[in-house]
């Protein structure tokens, strides 16, 4: 892809010795292609628990296949629902930067970073659970227990909330995981050590702090050496100053003020692209092995009618819930 925005184009051109900036356009294109490859819809329905329990008695092979497929769908759901959000966020950020809507772009960039970090954070949890699932394919209850652990992550994505009264009243609602845990986790990974610091900067741009105010201001008082007093439009932000002039919309001659944060924007977007593409690839590599064990006491359970079995399963479900 190519940027039409003159400031971005010039910035990339004049910093072509920097590998991240040099590859930025190509990496953006890879991201767009990856997000476009995600299906347009995803249905994550599951067989009713009692129905599945009865099927595990009548046809264990089919029941085990369904369990495996449902576990795989839980994994796919994490990737796809995040990708749906990233599709809109990423395209909006690029479009906003093209149209000099930099404040909007940076606010959305923070959300993009949160979602990508959360995806990576959950990927590592999923990989650990799947390893346990695949190590217990002949142990019926252990295999099931780890499949339930996988489903819990999916349920948090579906029903999670931080609003306490909603969480208490909503059936099956769970508290959303604090995004800072995901950001801290990614910051511990090689090559992403600066993610936490950049997330803090993006938060300042988003919240009503100095940086968000700075977006609408032009330095009018200059502090420093005599040679710093030249207010060239493309260098105005490079001098030490204090802002007392604020503008709702910057005139064209001030558009080059974008240089004060365009480098950071490119850096964060590049990290988001890298994290997403690697996470997507890892998600698509995850495979779950079939359960190779029948439900315990199957022959005994077959001696009962379907109605009797369903009643027994229902009572057991109520006891353990």
């Amino acid at each position: 892809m190519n940027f039409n925005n003159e400031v971005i184009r010039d910035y990339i051109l004049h910093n072509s010795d920097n590998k991240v900036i040099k590859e930025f356009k190509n990496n953006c294109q890879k991201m767009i292609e990856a997000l476009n490859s995600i299906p347009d819809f995803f249905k994550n329905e599951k067989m009713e628990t009692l129905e599945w329990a009865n099927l595990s008695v009548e046809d264990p092979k089919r029941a085990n296949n369904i369990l495996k497929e449902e576990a795989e769908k839980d994994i796919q759901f994490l990737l796809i629902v995040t990708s749906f959000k990233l599709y809109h966020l990423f395209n909006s950020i690029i479009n906003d930067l093209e149209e000099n809507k930099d404040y909007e772009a940076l606010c959305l960039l923070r959300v993009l970073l949160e979602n990508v970090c959360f995806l990576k954070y959950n990927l590592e949890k999923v990989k650990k659970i799947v390893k346990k699932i695949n190590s217990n394919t002949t142990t019926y209850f252990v295999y099931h227990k780890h499949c339930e652990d996988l489903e819990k992550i999916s349920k948090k994505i579906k029903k999670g909330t931080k609003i306490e009264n909603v969480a208490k009243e909503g059936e099956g609602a769970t508290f959303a995981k604090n995004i800072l845990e995901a950001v801290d986790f990614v910051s511990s990974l090689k090559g992403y050590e600066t993610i936490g610091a950049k997330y803090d900067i993006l938060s300042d741009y988003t919240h009503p702090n100095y940086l968000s105010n700075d977006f609408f201001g032009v330095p009018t008082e200059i502090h420093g050496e005599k040679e710093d007093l030249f207010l060239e439009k493309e260098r105005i932000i490079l001098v030490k100053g204090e802002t007392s002039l604020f503008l709702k919309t910057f005139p064209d001659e001030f558009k080059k003020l974008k240089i004060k944060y365009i480098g950071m924007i490119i850096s964060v977007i590049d990290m988001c692209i890298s994290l997403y593409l690697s996470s997507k690839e890892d998600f698509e590599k995850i495979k779950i092995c079939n359960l190779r064990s029948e439900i315990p006491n199957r022959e005994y359970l077959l001696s009962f009618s379907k109605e009797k079995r369903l009643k027994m399963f229902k009572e057991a479900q109520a006891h353990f819930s």
Side-chain angles (χ1 to χ4, degrees):
M1 66 167 291
N2 288 311
F3 286 92
N4 296 317
N5 187 290
E6 182 182 352
V7 178
I8 299 176
R9 219 172 45 229
D10 289 348
Y11 188 89
I12 293 172
L13 178 64
H14 294 134
N15 291 277
S16 57
D17 55 330
N18 182 298
K19 186 179 178 181
V20 170
I21 296 172
K22 181 181 179 181
E23 297 295 324
F24 184 58
K25 292 188 293 184
N26 289 336
N27 288 337
C28 284
Q29 184 61 39
K30 289 178 185 177
M31 183 69 163
I32 290 170
E33 289 172 0
L35 293 172
N36 285 339
S37 72
I38 296 296
D40 291 335
F41 66 92
F42 182 79
K43 203 168 187 178
N44 192 18
E45 289 184 335
K46 298 201 172 188
M47 180 176 280
E48 199 274 327
T49 303
L50 296 181
E51 183 184 351
W52 184 90
N54 183 65
L55 183 65
S56 69
V57 176
E58 296 181 346
D59 190 347
K61 184 177 180 180
R62 184 173 168 231
N64 289 351
N65 283 335
I66 289 173
L67 179 62
K68 171 181 175 289
E69 290 169 2
E70 289 184 348
E72 289 175 336
K73 274 200 166 186
D74 281 331
I75 296 172
Q76 292 170 9
F77 171 73
L78 297 175
L79 172 63
I80 290 177
V81 73
T82 302
S83 298
F84 285 165
K85 291 188 280 186
L86 298 184
Y87 173 83
H88 291 279
L89 287 167
F90 189 81
N91 282 292
S92 294
I93 289 167
I94 298 301
N95 290 335
D96 283 345
L97 289 174
E98 286 275 51
E99 297 173 14
N100 288 306
K101 296 178 179 177
D102 303 325
Y103 181 69
E104 295 90 332
L106 269 168
C107 289
L108 292 176
L109 185 54
R110 177 177 181 246
V111 183
L112 182 81
L113 180 60
E114 288 176 338
N115 278 277
V116 172
C117 287
F118 200 60
L119 182 68
K120 180 68 174 178
Y121 179 74
N122 279 308
L123 167 65
E124 296 308 308
K125 291 170 68 175
V126 165
K127 285 163 71 175
K128 290 177 182 177
I129 294 171
V130 170
K131 185 177 181 180
K132 292 177 182 177
I133 291 173
N134 291 342
S135 299
N136 291 279
T137 56
T138 59
T139 315
Y140 187 87
F141 288 117
V142 177
Y143 185 98
H144 270 261
K145 189 266 179 190
H146 293 309
C147 283
E148 288 172 358
D149 291 340
L150 195 59
E151 187 177 24
K152 286 176 184 176
I153 297 176
S154 176
K155 280 185 176 179
K156 283 185 178 182
I157 305 297
K158 288 181 180 178
K159 301 180 180 180
T161 178
K162 293 178 71 176
I163 305 172
E164 189 172 355
N165 62 330
V166 175
K168 286 180 178 178
E169 296 172 8
E171 184 179 348
T174 57
F175 286 103
K177 200 75 176 175
N178 192 326
I179 188 61
L180 293 179
E181 288 187 26
V183 174
D184 288 343
F185 168 75
V186 174
S187 296
S188 69
L189 303 178
K190 185 177 180 181
Y192 300 100
E193 295 87 350
T194 61
I195 278 282
K198 287 173 179 173
Y199 178 72
D200 289 341
I201 293 172
L202 289 174
S203 295
D204 255 14
Y205 275 121
T206 304
H207 297 308
N209 296 328
Y210 167 73
L211 287 179
S212 65
N213 301 332
D214 185 53
F215 249 107
F216 304 95
V218 179
T220 50
E221 293 183 27
I222 306 303
H223 311 297
E225 301 301 325
K226 194 171 184 180
E227 58 267 23
D228 289 333
L229 298 178
F230 295 99
L231 298 182
E232 300 173 24
K233 299 294 188 297
E234 65 274 15
R235 291 188 68 253
I236 193 169
I237 201 60
L238 303 180
V239 299
K240 298 175 182 177
E242 186 172 325
T243 303
S244 55
L245 172 64
F246 296 87
L247 302 170
K248 181 173 70 175
T249 304
F250 272 76
D252 288 339
E253 63 266 25
F254 285 107
K255 289 295 188 283
K256 287 191 177 181
L257 286 173
K258 189 192 292 279
I259 63 172
K260 65 184 175 178
Y261 44 80
I262 193 64
M264 188 203 68
I265 288 177
I266 290 176
S267 173
V268 174
I269 292 177
D270 183 74
M271 285 184 170
C272 287
I273 292 172
S274 173
L275 275 170
Y276 174 73
L277 293 181
S278 63
S279 297
K280 181 175 181 289
E281 184 178 352
D282 283 349
F283 264 106
E284 292 170 347
K285 286 179 181 176
I286 295 174
K287 303 295 179 186
I288 293 180
C289 298
N290 265 88
L291 173 62
R292 293 185 287 114
S293 173
E294 295 182 356
I295 185 171
N297 303 314
R298 178 175 174 247
E299 294 300 322
Y300 171 72
L301 291 167
L302 277 170
S303 66
F304 295 99
S305 67
K306 178 180 178 181
E307 289 73 21
K308 176 66 174 176
R309 286 197 301 269
L310 288 173
K311 183 180 178 183
M312 292 167 62
F313 291 140
K314 189 173 183 179
E315 289 172 349
Q317 186 181 44
H319 176 75
F320 289 107
S321 62

